[in-house]
Amino acid sequence: MHIEQLPADEVAARLAQAQADYDALAARGLSLDLTRGKPGAEQLALSDALDGILGQNYRAHDGTDVRNYGGLSGLPEAKALFGRMLGVPAQEVLIGGNSSLQLMYATIEFALSEGLRGPASAWGNEDVVKFICPVPGYDRHFSVCEHLGIELVTVPLLETGPDMDAVEALVRQDPSVRGMWCVPRFSNPTGCVYSAATVERIALLGRIAPEHFIVMWDNAYAVHTLYDDAPELASIHAFCEQHGTLDSVFQFGSTSKITFAGAGVAFLASSPANLQALEAHLAFQTIGPDKVNQLRHVKFLHDCAGIERHMAEHARIIRPRFECVLQTLERELGGTGMGQWQAPTGGYFISFDARPGLAREIVQLAADIGVKLTPAGATFPYGNDPEDRNIRLAPTFPSLEAVQASVDAFVVCVKLASLRQLAG
Ligand SMILES: Cc1ncc(COP(=O)(O)O)c(C=O)c1O
């Protein structure tokens, strides 16, 4: 029953029970952590065959010795593989180092300081530069902008993706808005998949602000499905081609959560003009990326079917952790009005919205009994969740037993905070 429909004596009784449960947990001296959106050891082990896979054959398809310098934009076979994964032609792909976040930073810094179309186009020529971020979102996107002095403007992230009416109004009305962050499939943290209509409207933003606006299409979870029937993502590349806006979109991805989070391959895709400009800039920073790792990845993953088979192994490991969290939330909090959440069909997170004003308190209550949660506010720019509601849960890294113990403690903290608030 919804807690607001409970008679006062029932609220008092449930509050006393929640307090007793909480005290019992405190006495257990827990040490649990649901903060880390990273693969667990069993997932990493799925890719151990990368080690030694080249068997001392360091030649790429075209005869390139991958041990040597060069190949700034990446090996052709790596571009073909990851291009297919993102749904773009190989010639529109650039392979980087191990981190897509670094490629995102490099892109924004380049657009800001040097300009995608020469110095006159540099965003830094303006006093104010703004980026749109759908919220809740990924804290490292926010911190790239905060670090580079870019102001962040929020729009709500709906089940269909960003609220496009709000996005279009901002892009139309404010020329200082230069870009937008997107995690289009299994977004961090809600797990939503942008609808085809949303993808097309995002592809059309380059028509509204043709000269200066870019979409940062961070497809970090492009292939990270938990279930076979998870929704597909419409192709932004196809929509951009149709509407003549390829220059306005930069796509990103990596194998951080496919193979090794610390030793994967990151990639970027954009229009030929953007790639040319960016490559000329990167040439000052490196003589070439790690092609040995690129070749290892191509040999290990082979093709899109190989990636799909590999991701099914990941899903087999992490699906029970997600289901454990979701089943516990449903059993303990379903229908009570103490929280809202969606069941993601892929990605790495579950996003929990507490009753307004309680996220910080819940995170603190959990911390006090040894359960670490992502800091409240982390899913909003400047750490400021205006309603103090959102908490990101990350179930992949701990063991299943630890996930269960953590979520058991979490629901007790949610009940305690919610009933206290209700009791006044
Ligand atoms: C949405 C999103 N983008 C990017 C990253 C980091 O990617 P990479 O390891 O390729 O730098 C993460 C990691 O959690 C993420 O959630």
Side-chain angles (χ1 to χ4, degrees):
M1 191 196 265
H2 197 289
I3 53 169
E4 283 172 16
Q5 289 162 355
L6 295 174
D9 58 341
E10 181 64 21
V11 171
R14 290 194 188 193
L15 176 56
Q17 183 61 53
Q19 185 67 56
D21 292 344
Y22 183 78
D23 293 343
L25 285 168
R28 285 176 51 194
L30 300 172
S31 176
L32 299 164
D33 191 338
L34 264 194
T35 65
R36 288 170 295 188
K38 54 186 192 179
E42 199 186 339
Q43 287 179 272
L44 295 170
L46 294 173
S47 303
D48 282 352
L50 276 170
D51 193 16
I53 198 166
L54 296 185
Q56 301 195 330
N57 177 6
Y58 294 102
R59 296 283 168 183
H61 233 3
D62 62 1
T64 300
D65 184 340
V66 294
R67 295 169 300 183
N68 222 327
Y69 274 143
L72 187 64
S73 65
L75 288 180
E77 51 264 62
K79 291 188 203 181
L81 174 61
F82 297 122
R84 276 197 299 276
M85 192 179 123
L86 292 180
V88 301
Q91 64 272 20
E92 292 177 27
V93 179
L94 179 145
I95 312 283
N98 74 324
S99 160
S100 62
L101 191 68
Q102 190 176 37
L103 290 173
M104 295 176 221
Y105 186 96
T107 303
I108 295 183
E109 192 189 33
F110 176 60
L112 196 61
S113 60
E114 296 186 38
L116 290 166
R117 298 289 174 269
S121 70
W123 301 338
N125 295 333
E126 313 300 323
D127 291 337
V128 179
V129 178
K130 296 180 191 163
F131 251 64
I132 298 172
C133 19
V135 288
Y138 177 41
D139 56 347
R140 289 183 190 270
H141 286 165
F142 309 148
S143 47
V144 166
C145 286
E146 288 171 28
H147 185 66
L148 292 170
I150 296 175
E151 266 180 44
L152 294 161
V153 191
T154 61
V155 296
L157 182 66
L158 312 174
E159 276 185 46
T160 50
D163 177 341
M164 289 309 296
D165 291 342
V167 169
E168 286 161 358
L170 280 166
V171 174
R172 220 170 248 126
Q173 287 155 18
D174 188 348
S176 60
V177 171
R178 295 300 165 108
M180 171 180 183
W181 288 108
C182 296
V183 183
R185 195 171 192 219
F186 312 131
S187 96
N188 177 350
T190 71
C192 79
V193 180
Y194 292 11
S195 68
T198 297
V199 175
E200 182 164 23
R201 285 172 79 176
I202 293 173
L204 279 163
L205 293 173
R207 284 269 193 88
I208 302 178
E211 289 306 317
H212 58 251
F213 185 85
I214 65 169
V215 175
M216 298 290 284
W217 194 254
D218 177 3
N219 210 348
Y221 301 104
V223 291
H224 302 57
T225 48
L226 289 168
Y227 300 95
D228 290 343
D229 60 352
E232 296 291 338
L233 177 67
S235 165
I236 192 156
H237 187 271
F239 283 129
C240 287
E241 236 175 1
Q242 188 185 332
H243 298 299
T245 55
L246 281 170
D247 283 343
S248 68
V249 176
F250 284 83
Q251 300 197 48
F252 300 89
S254 78
T255 69
S256 291
K257 288 165 184 167
I258 297 175
T259 57
F260 293 158
V265 174
F267 34 90
L268 165 165
S270 195
S271 69
N274 284 341
L275 283 193
Q276 203 181 5
L278 199 61
E279 263 181 65
H281 171 69
L282 291 176
F284 291 103
Q285 299 177 19
T286 175
I287 308 173
D290 179 349
K291 297 185 299 301
V292 173
N293 201 27
Q294 291 177 27
L295 189 59
R296 292 193 319 160
H297 275 75
V298 173
K299 291 232 157 116
F300 179 65
L301 297 168
H302 297 292
D303 49 23
C304 286
I307 294 176
E308 209 177 301
R309 279 195 300 276
H310 187 73
M311 295 316 291
E313 289 298 297
H314 279 282
R316 184 182 52 76
I317 296 167
I318 64 176
R319 198 168 41 229
R321 291 165 167 78
F322 278 82
E323 289 178 352
C324 152
V325 173
L326 293 165
Q327 282 161 10
T328 307
L329 292 178
E330 192 53 48
R331 190 183 63 237
E332 298 296 324
L333 304 175
T336 66
M338 290 195 266
Q340 286 168 357
W341 59 93
Q342 279 125 29
T345 50
Y348 260 56
F349 304 102
I350 293 166
S351 174
F352 181 88
D353 279 324
R355 287 163 70 84
L358 290 186
R360 272 174 216 285
E361 187 179 336
I362 291 167
V363 171
Q364 187 60 51
L365 282 169
D368 291 345
I369 55 169
V371 181
K372 258 203 219 167
L373 300 173
T374 305
T379 52
F380 285 74
Y382 315 109
N384 177 26
D385 173 357
E387 288 194 276
D388 187 25
R389 297 189 71 178
N390 190 250
I391 299 173
R392 188 186 82 166
L393 305 174
T396 58
F397 187 73
S399 67
L400 184 56
E401 295 68 36
V403 170
Q404 184 67 68
S406 304
V407 71
D408 286 344
F410 175 71
V411 294
V412 170
C413 297
V414 172
K415 287 181 189 175
L416 183 55
S418 308
L419 292 162
R420 267 188 194 162
Q421 187 192 51
L422 193 67

